[in-house]
Amino acid sequence: KNIAIFASGAGSNAQKIIDHFRHSEKARVSLIICNKPGAGVLDIAQREGIESILIEREKFLHTDTYIDILKQRQTDLVVLAGFLWKIPANLVQAFPGRIINIHPALLPKFGGKGMYGHFVHEAVIAAGETESGITIHYVNEKYDDGETILQERCVVTPEDTPETVARKVQALEHQWFPVIVERLLNK
Ligand code: GRF
């Protein structure tokens, strides 16, 4: 099975998924798609010998270029791991039920455009939440809106800072995202 990862940043989730399937006979990360020159995830692709493509916004939004590439590579699952652009309708429709995303908060709260990185954790703390966590969900045409696959929680205390919440949430991401990817590929 072929996994394509879309990422914009450091790629720590991408790395965990690559590690998880390193010795698998059944699945592998066959492509990394990125929208940000110099992003850490491109270094990971290089180091891991995984094909990476730097996509162009106009082409991504208005053509089937990347859909064709994903299909040419028999992609079975598209995994968004910190990809900051909204997925256009043609891509969502090309892979029905086969595009998933991870969000560093408990959707439907603290979701939507702009809610990423420390902004999310700052908002959670500012709202006086006593818990946060991750949401792994199917992707549809709207931001952070598709059917939930898994949510895992962590405690938030008044002593927490965005950094300490980020650390707890990232630990959940790294623990659960590879597990869910495997579970979906085994379906
Ligand atoms: C994570 O916080 C993830 O929840 C969000 O984007 C971030 C990706 O981090 N979707 P990394 O690039 O995988 O380290």
Side-chain angles (χ1 to χ4, degrees), residues 3 5 11-24 27-29 32 44 47-48 50 174 178-179 182:
I3 302 162
I5 295 180
S12 70
N13 278 287
Q15 183 67 68
K16 293 298 175 191
I17 294 168
I18 292 164
D19 293 345
H20 186 83
F21 290 97
R22 193 173 297 285
H23 306 298
S24 165
R28 67 193 186 101
V29 176
I32 288 179
I44 292 174
R47 193 166 58 241
E48 297 284 354
I50 295 172
H174 293 174
V179 169
E182 180 170 2

Side-chain angles (χ1 to χ4, degrees), residues 9-14 81-82 101-104 170 173:
S12 70
N13 278 287
N101 181 46
I102 189 165
H103 184 73
Q170 193 171 62
E173 293 173 352

Side-chain angles (χ1 to χ4, degrees), residues 7-15 41 80-84 101-105 115-117 121 134-135 166 169-170 173-174 177:
S8 305
S12 70
N13 278 287
Q15 183 67 68
V41 72
L80 309 186
F83 186 69
L84 296 184
N101 181 46
I102 189 165
H103 184 73
M115 273 298 183
Y116 63 90
H121 309 310
I134 60 169
T135 304
V169 167
Q170 193 171 62
E173 293 173 352
H174 293 174
F177 211 6

Side-chain angles (χ1 to χ4, degrees), residues 7-171:
S8 305
S12 70
N13 278 287
Q15 183 67 68
K16 293 298 175 191
I17 294 168
I18 292 164
D19 293 345
H20 186 83
F21 290 97
R22 193 173 297 285
H23 306 298
S24 165
E25 303 287 308
K26 290 191 276 186
R28 67 193 186 101
V29 176
S30 52
L31 181 62
I32 288 179
I33 288 194
C34 183
N35 64 325
K36 238 180 96 206
V41 72
L42 291 171
D43 299 328
I44 292 174
Q46 182 74 31
R47 193 166 58 241
E48 297 284 354
I50 295 172
E51 181 186 9
S52 61
I53 295 176
L54 194 53
I55 60 177
E56 299 159 50
R57 194 173 184 88
E58 286 316 300
K59 269 191 188 175
F60 180 65
L61 293 178
H62 305 299
T63 73
D64 285 356
T65 306
Y66 303 110
I67 292 172
D68 296 342
I69 289 171
L70 288 165
K71 289 191 168 173
Q72 281 155 17
R73 283 163 185 68
Q74 286 84 38
T75 304
D76 296 288
L77 187 67
V78 176
V79 176
L80 309 186
F83 186 69
L84 296 184
W85 288 349
K86 192 159 65 82
I87 302 301
N90 60 339
L91 176 48
V92 174
Q93 283 141 23
F95 289 90
R98 292 191 293 147
I99 309 179
I100 64 173
N101 181 46
I102 189 165
H103 184 73
L106 298 173
L107 293 175
K109 294 205 284 190
F110 307 108
K113 191 169 172 51
M115 273 298 183
Y116 63 90
H118 281 186
F119 297 114
V120 184
H121 309 310
E122 282 162 11
V124 164
I125 291 168
E129 298 290 338
T130 55
E131 61 177 16
S132 190
I134 60 169
T135 304
I136 299 174
H137 63 94
Y138 289 105
V139 169
N140 62 21
E141 283 86 346
K142 288 184 243 144
Y143 261 111
D144 298 333
D145 180 66
E147 178 196 346
T148 295
I149 298 169
L150 175 83
Q151 286 194 316
E152 288 294 330
R153 285 164 161 72
C154 61
V155 170
V156 176
T157 70
E159 289 70 45
D160 269 310
T161 66
E163 289 70 27
T164 58
V165 175
R167 217 170 297 141
K168 288 188 263 193
V169 167
Q170 193 171 62

